[in-house]
Amino acid sequence: MQKTLCIIKPDAVKKNVQGSIIQMILDNGFKISAMKLIQLSEEQAKKFYEVHKERPFYGELVNFMISGPVIPIALEKDNAVADWRKLIGATDPAEADAGTIRKLFANSKSENAVHGSDSEENGIIETNFFFKPEEFVK
Ligand code: CMP
């Protein structure tokens, strides 16, 4: 089965919609193999989003991601990367399809409720960023 990383971002945790998002994950056939509630440090957020460090929104993104607790969740499913990106919808909630997580819960392009890995390779790298091997259930 393929792995992908979900992060329930600070905006969604502050709105108390984390339970609804987890229910959507389960209702759509994903297996949760690891999950935790954490406060990211600035150093961790900068490292996780290093790929975006030259983008104009990098500072805003890092500050947002450390503005409150987040819930990283390792997901597994056949075709998990594409299926999760379909369920979360476009980066900008204004462009997201009806019924997607971002359409339902995101505030804006920057405060967009959830993260999804963009490739199978990054699904593995990103789940391993947040979880040690012994933290995954079989
Ligand atoms: P995500 O795809 O999870 O990871 C990269 C994030 O950068 C993206 O979600 C948005 O939250 C953020 N992002 C992308 N484009 C912009 C933008 N133009 N302005 C602010 N934040 C952005």
Side-chain angles (χ1 to χ4, degrees):
M1 280 201 293
Q2 209 173 54
K3 279 189 176 180
T4 193
L5 181 74
C6 159
I7 307 174
I8 304 181
K9 296 186 180 184
D11 58 319
V13 176
K14 276 183 199 139
K15 278 195 221 168
N16 279 335
V17 295
Q18 59 272 57
S20 303
I21 293 171
I22 291 167
Q23 193 62 55
M24 287 177 77
I25 289 171
L26 299 172
D27 288 345
N28 282 275
F30 292 88
K31 182 192 162 199
I32 293 175
S33 57
M35 175 164 74
K36 57 188 165 190
L37 172 70
I38 54 167
Q39 171 66 52
L40 283 176
S41 67
E42 185 175 347
E43 192 186 2
Q44 281 175 307
K46 280 184 170 166
K47 192 164 174 219
F48 184 75
Y49 285 113
E50 206 163 25
V51 62
H52 295 306
K53 74 169 184 274
E54 304 304 333
R55 305 273 197 108
F57 57 80
Y58 180 63
E60 183 193 340
L61 174 60
V62 168
N63 283 334
F64 165 60
M65 290 301 288
I66 63 173
S67 67
V70 296
I71 305 175
I73 308 175
L75 302 177
E76 287 183 23
K77 186 183 183 297
D78 289 336
N79 208 32
V81 172
D83 286 359
W84 176 238
R85 289 178 76 80
K86 185 157 191 260
L87 182 60
I88 68 182
T91 303
D92 185 345
E95 290 163 18
D97 289 341
T100 59
I101 292 173
R102 284 172 170 160
K103 186 56 134 194
L104 289 166
F105 303 120
N107 294 334
S108 64
K109 199 172 187 175
S110 45
E111 300 193 4
N112 64 356
V114 281
H115 171 82
S117 307
D118 64 3
S119 66
E120 181 167 20
E121 188 192 3
N122 281 336
I124 295 164
I125 293 169
E126 291 180 354
T127 50
N128 289 335
F129 180 91
F130 284 103
F131 301 103
K132 300 188 194 108
E134 63 270 25
E135 290 180 301
F136 293 95
V137 297
K138 292 253 155 46

